[in-house]
Amino acid sequence: MDLSRRDALAALAATGVAGVAGAATLDDADGAPAESPDGSAVDGLDTLVAVAETVYPSAATGVDAFVETYVDGLPDDRRDDVLAVAADLDATARDWHDAPLPDLDRSTRDGLLRDLGVDVADPDPNGYLSERIRFHLVNELLYAFYASPTGGRLVGIENPIAYPGGTESYRRASMDAEGRDG
Amino acid sequence: MAEDRSPSPRADVCIVGAGPAGAIVAARLSEAGHDAVVLDAGPRFDLDDRTEQLDAHVRPGVDGGVSETPRGDAADGLWGMGGERDEYTSSGPAGYPLNAARVKGVGGSTLHWQGMVMRLHERDFELRSRHGVGADWPLDYADLQPYYAEAERELGVAGADDNPFAPPREEPFPLPAFPPSHSDAIFAEACESLGLPTHSVPNARNSEPYDDASACVGYGTCKPVCPSGAKYTAERHVARAEAAGARVVDRAPVQRLEHDDSGDRIEAAVYATPDGEEHRQEARAVVLACGGVENVRLLLLSASDAHPDGLANASGLVGRYFMDHCFAGVGGRIDRPTRQNHVGFNTTECHALYDGTDPLPGVKLEFLNYAGPSPVIEALHADDWGDSLLESLRDSYGTHLAVGGLVEQFPRAENRITLDRSTTDDHGNPVPDVRWSVGPETRAAIERANEVQRAVLEELGAEIDWVVGPDETGPAYHHMGTTRMGTDPAESVVAPDCRAHDCDNLWIAGSSVFPTGGAMNPTLTIAALSCRLADHLDGWL
């Protein structure tokens, strides 16, 4: 199941984000790349892709372009929050595993998130680290995925709730009864 | 710059409440050349916030999405309901979740409604004559029929003339019906076997562009918020009223109505503003249109020496006969795809149980298009991710079906709205107390509805997962009956023209005037009565 930039734009439509075409690129979101507490440059996108590869089904491919397009299209303040928490998570990975998050294998990333309690944390944009990771990273990325037609199709619904996918799909007997949209 | 909420010069009409009942009256009277002032307790919500409200509905942890919440941190939910402004008590045997059931603000409860708009059936107007229960309306279906047609145009109803049980129609619906869903087709097989004809659902939702609003684009979140504007809200009529010269003042809760020395005429509505001031809006006519609970509270809060038990309450019936519709439902899973949660509205119903005597209370069956979980919402609440999350989503989505329904409550005097003087709101006024219960005839009708619903699912070989029966039922949030309409001032609060028996220039709009409520969602009838009231007031003014 190959995710595309077009899927990311569809997911942004689900978030109600307007003006995607004029959105800033990731690197100049706030004028400079995000930085970790120790001052080293953090590739925020790589961190986000690393989280996405952990929380998305293994069948998903094209994750990097999907995530980049999605995050680029978020409103500035929402993107800044995502990048800030990504930096915090990356710093935790360096602290606990002596390596940036993207360098950890998928199983270790998964374990790090679970050790932080992210799997059972209540999503809270201003809460503890685990709650912020759940809100700004895990849920943001899961929302992008499962509110998009391509992510929804993996479950069996090409017009998921929050995606303005029209009023044709609910009448069809199956996803196969129409061409791919989104 | 702060909005000017000072009163206007004496208006032709002051309308209390900017929901559909009040907004339709305001639009039509303004367009007829009358000066109208509308006062609403809640805020004016920004249309640009609707996508953020969708976000808040779907994503846990996102705040309400409303730019200007009415009372800061005390407000909660998508529409700012709750807190001291909206305090209430519920003393009946069945608790009543009042603040989930209404919205205060410009647009009223149409901001969060489902948008189903059926006409009452002919039997609903003559229940006492036909069956010896409930009450007769002082008008019949034929009296209201032309106003139903007007109401359908006002709301932009999408429907089809395919319901063999519906009352007679005089013209096509303004918009074509939404076609049946895939699950409707599944249900149709079973219903045909059981002799239950199915038919389309009239929706106040654009199946194609109408009234400068978009066609439905399928966000799937009709209730509680439609970001596309395809679902009717009373904001449309507020806009029309303002374009015709009406003044609509938000965040202006009316505290009481004041009458002249004779006690026969209302002189002014006294309202509060966010700066802590009180103002008097004088008017030749006053229309109460703030719902079946707040209409009552305002009449009772307006007690005076001339009207010691509250305005318009010589009968003692203000607040009595509170009715809602009770939900009945059965859900389960079958062994084939049911394609749920693409849209947030229904497209097929069955009125076959409505007009008979088994059961006597009306029952309307609804075939849901949103049975079972939504994968995206479930994913955001899951305690897992990756392949195992996908596996659990695939397991939980795809084969659910559910038959819901509304069941009629007959009017019962003991179900009532009163003032709880031990609790006060943010202005020091006693709050409403809701006393609500489900009577034996409604419980029996819910059981009968469950039998039929279960039979439909069993016909499909479904494994039944849940049943909402008489012990689990809850209200559909349709507040009716508390200022009932009638010809006898001893037995009713308003006359057939909706004017209060006890006040020469006070009218009441909305479902509080319904003597009975049937089992049809009430908003189309509310709109029809508002069209009728506007015609009447146009002549009176």
Side-chain angles (χ1 to χ4, degrees), chain B residues 123-429:
Chain B
R123 57 79 87 174
D124 292 321
F125 296 88
E126 44 202 48
L127 209 55
R128 168 66 62 179
S129 297
R130 287 196 189 196
H131 301 297
V133 296
D136 285 345
W137 288 50
L139 47 89
D140 60 23
Y141 175 77
D143 294 325
L144 207 52
Q145 185 174 353
Y147 293 105
Y148 270 130
E150 290 187 30
E152 286 168 350
R153 290 193 293 273
E154 292 284 0
L155 305 187
V157 177
D161 191 5
D162 64 350
N163 180 350
F165 308 101
R169 297 187 56 79
E170 59 302 308
E171 60 185 69
F173 286 92
L175 293 172
F178 287 91
S181 65
H182 171 64
S183 55
D184 291 340
I186 295 172
F187 278 123
E189 301 168 21
C191 289
E192 188 174 346
S193 300
L194 296 169
L196 294 170
T198 58
H199 44 81
S200 62
V201 176
N203 274 289
R205 176 177 287 100
N206 294 351
S207 56
E208 52 190 47
Y210 186 80
D211 208 8
D212 296 327
S214 158
C216 175
V217 297
Y219 275 107
T221 59
C222 309
K223 190 175 178 179
V225 61
C226 170
S228 73
K231 182 183 78 172
Y232 168 85
T233 77
E235 293 160 297
R236 289 188 202 173
H237 282 98
V238 168
R240 260 177 56 184
E242 290 181 313
R247 181 158 179 247
V248 179
V249 184
D250 74 340
R251 303 175 70 184
V254 174
Q255 307 295 294
R256 60 192 175 278
L257 303 178
E258 291 184 346
H259 57 69
D260 63 8
D261 291 342
S262 72
D264 294 335
R265 295 180 71 84
I266 306 300
E267 289 188 327
V270 177
Y271 63 96
T273 46
D275 57 8
E277 297 297 315
E278 279 195 355
H279 306 275
R280 294 177 89 251
Q281 176 60 55
E282 297 183 355
R284 293 168 56 207
V286 173
V287 175
L288 276 193
C290 40
V293 174
E294 296 297 336
N295 279 350
V296 169
R297 186 162 79 122
L298 188 49
L299 292 171
L300 298 180
L301 288 175
S302 302
S304 64
D305 289 344
H307 299 279
D309 296 322
L311 277 178
N313 198 23
S315 66
L317 296 181
V318 167
R320 289 200 181 272
Y321 301 112
F322 175 64
M323 297 173 285
D324 205 313
H325 296 131
C326 293
F327 181 80
V330 177
R333 304 184 72 162
I334 60 174
D335 60 359
R336 47 182 161 148
T338 55
R339 310 274 292 159
Q340 297 293 282
N341 282 308
H342 290 240
V343 292
F345 56 92
N346 298 324
T347 40
T348 289
E349 286 188 338
C350 174
H351 294 186
L353 297 182
Y354 198 86
D355 296 285
T357 55
D358 179 25
L360 186 56
V363 171
K364 182 188 71 159
L365 298 178
E366 302 169 345
F367 301 93
L368 305 191
N369 285 332
Y370 37 79
S374 150
V376 60
I377 292 175
E378 189 166 317
L380 301 183
H381 288 86
D383 57 5
D384 211 343
W385 47 62
D387 289 336
S388 55
L389 172 61
L390 176 61
E391 187 178 342
S392 83
L393 296 177
R394 283 174 167 166
D395 182 57
S396 64
Y397 176 76
T399 57
H400 290 272
L401 281 178
V403 191
L406 298 185
V407 178
E408 177 173 23
Q409 284 198 292
F410 295 143
R412 298 159 63 92
E414 65 268 30
N415 284 340
R416 62 186 300 201
I417 308 299
T418 56
L419 295 181
D420 177 357
R421 297 188 182 278
S422 69
T423 310
T424 53
D425 68 8
D426 55 341
H427 290 94
N429 291 317

Side-chain angles (χ1 to χ4, degrees), chain B residues 21-42:
Chain B
I24 290 171
V25 173
R28 291 169 75 105
L29 287 180
S30 301
E31 289 167 350
H34 302 291
D35 295 327
V37 173
V38 183
L39 304 172
D40 198 282

Side-chain angles (χ1 to χ4, degrees), chain B residues 429-481:
Chain B
N429 291 317
V431 304
D433 177 66
V434 183
R435 185 170 183 80
W436 185 67
S437 62
V438 180
E441 66 288 330
T442 299
R443 290 180 60 87
I446 293 170
E447 287 181 354
R448 175 72 182 124
N450 289 159
E451 287 175 12
V452 175
Q453 292 163 331
R454 186 184 287 276
V456 171
L457 287 178
E458 287 176 347
E459 184 72 18
L460 293 168
E463 181 179 334
I464 305 290
D465 287 338
W466 56 266
V467 176
V468 172
D471 292 334
E472 301 84 15
T473 190
Y477 304 160
H478 304 149
H479 303 153
M480 303 174 288

Side-chain angles (χ1 to χ4, degrees), chain A residues 8 64 77 170:
Chain A
D64 47 357
D77 54 349
Y170 79 91

Side-chain angles (χ1 to χ4, degrees), chain B residues 57-115:
Chain B
H57 169 58
V58 175
R59 299 173 61 212
V62 178
D63 282 340
V66 176
S67 296
E68 184 186 20
T69 53
R71 292 171 309 96
D73 58 10
D76 57 16
L78 290 193
W79 300 105
M81 290 301 299
E84 196 179 7
R85 183 193 70 182
D86 305 320
E87 287 282 357
Y88 71 98
T89 55
S90 179
S91 63
Y96 196 95
L98 183 59
N99 285 337
R102 57 182 183 166
V103 173
K104 293 182 182 177
V106 175
S109 294
T110 55
L111 295 167
H112 78 160
W113 74 323
Q114 174 85 8

Side-chain angles (χ1 to χ4, degrees), chain A residues 56-145:
Chain A
Y56 286 176
S58 55
T61 57
V63 171
D64 47 357
F66 176 82
V67 171
E68 180 182 14
T69 305
Y70 181 79
V71 175
D72 277 1
L74 290 175
D76 288 351
D77 54 349
R78 189 158 154 186
R79 184 175 56 245
D80 290 348
D81 287 340
V82 167
L83 290 172
V85 177
D88 290 343
L89 175 60
D90 189 72
T92 304
R94 292 168 190 266
D95 189 26
W96 289 14
H97 294 282
D98 297 322
L101 190 79
D103 289 357
L104 304 178
D105 61 34
R106 179 175 174 143
S107 172
T108 306
R109 285 180 229 149
D110 182 276
L112 173 62
L113 290 172
R114 292 181 193 279
D115 288 345
L116 282 166
V118 175
D119 51 340
V120 293
D122 289 331
D124 182 343
N126 304 304
Y128 297 111
L129 178 61
S130 58
E131 295 168 331
R132 284 184 285 122
I133 292 171
R134 178 76 201 207
F135 182 88
H136 290 294
L137 302 185
V138 173
N139 271 13
E140 184 77 72
L141 291 164
L142 287 176
Y143 184 56
F145 187 82

Side-chain angles (χ1 to χ4, degrees), chain A residues 5-71:
Chain A
R5 291 186 187 276
R6 192 177 178 200
D7 292 321
L9 294 174
L12 287 166
T15 70
V17 173
V20 170
T25 61
L26 190 65
D27 285 344
D28 66 6
D30 57 3
E35 290 188 348
S36 66
D38 66 4
S40 60
V42 170
D43 185 339
L45 179 61
D46 282 355
T47 302
L48 294 173
V49 170
V51 176
E53 288 174 344
T54 307
V55 301
Y56 286 176
S58 55
T61 57
V63 171
D64 47 357
F66 176 82
V67 171
E68 180 182 14
T69 305
Y70 181 79
V71 175

